[in-house]
Amino acid sequence: MKLSQRHTKKIKWTTRMAFSSLGILIIALLINEFREPLFGIKKGYAPHNFGFNFTFFLPSMAIAIGLGFAVIGRTIKHWKTWTNLNKKLVLIGLSIPSIGILTLVIIKMFSL
């Protein structure tokens, strides 16, 4: 069954969102890990870490998580319309790392 042009555009847009979610997540985690050589922010120094987290890390993580939820929601919404199972699984697979990190952070916050 051939998809309409509207559904093809939705799949392309959802694919871009999935790759953006994963890309933003990877970039944010890499910059967070190497923030001392990049910006001179030492781990353990509270004022600089607080400012860095609220100006860069938290907004980028929120965007990655939002895109991840949007991709999963759109994929589930169009599950019957989009016929390529591999494409659907790839979209969900690209979105899961950001949601998994959110879940781990929430578990870690409540377990301490």
Side-chain angles (χ1 to χ4, degrees):
M1 181 172 116
K2 184 145 172 104
L3 292 175
S4 67
Q5 185 178 3
R6 190 178 99 221
H7 285 291
T8 305
K9 285 183 180 181
K10 285 185 180 183
I11 290 174
K12 287 181 181 179
W13 183 248
T14 308
T15 304
R16 288 183 197 130
M17 288 182 356
F19 278 109
S20 297
S21 173
L22 185 65
I24 291 170
L25 176 73
I26 291 171
I27 289 170
L29 291 175
L30 283 174
I31 289 177
N32 188 37
E33 185 63 32
F34 298 111
R35 64 183 162 203
E36 186 172 354
L38 291 173
F39 306 114
I41 299 171
K42 294 185 179 183
K43 290 184 179 182
Y45 187 63
H48 289 163
N49 284 325
F50 185 79
F52 173 77
N53 286 338
F54 273 104
T55 57
F56 173 74
F57 188 68
L58 290 177
S60 61
M61 290 297 290
I63 291 170
I65 291 164
L67 286 171
F69 278 125
V71 168
I72 289 178
R74 286 176 68 122
T75 305
I76 291 171
K77 180 181 175 185
H78 298 289
W79 191 265
K80 290 185 179 179
T81 310
W82 299 347
T83 56
N84 190 353
L85 179 64
N86 289 335
K87 183 76 165 181
K88 292 185 277 191
L89 293 177
V90 165
L91 290 173
I92 291 174
L94 289 172
S95 306
I96 285 185
S98 61
I99 296 168
I101 287 185
L102 171 70
T103 307
L104 289 174
V105 167
I106 289 173
I107 291 171
K108 194 172 184 181
M109 282 185 342
F110 288 118
S111 68
L112 293 177

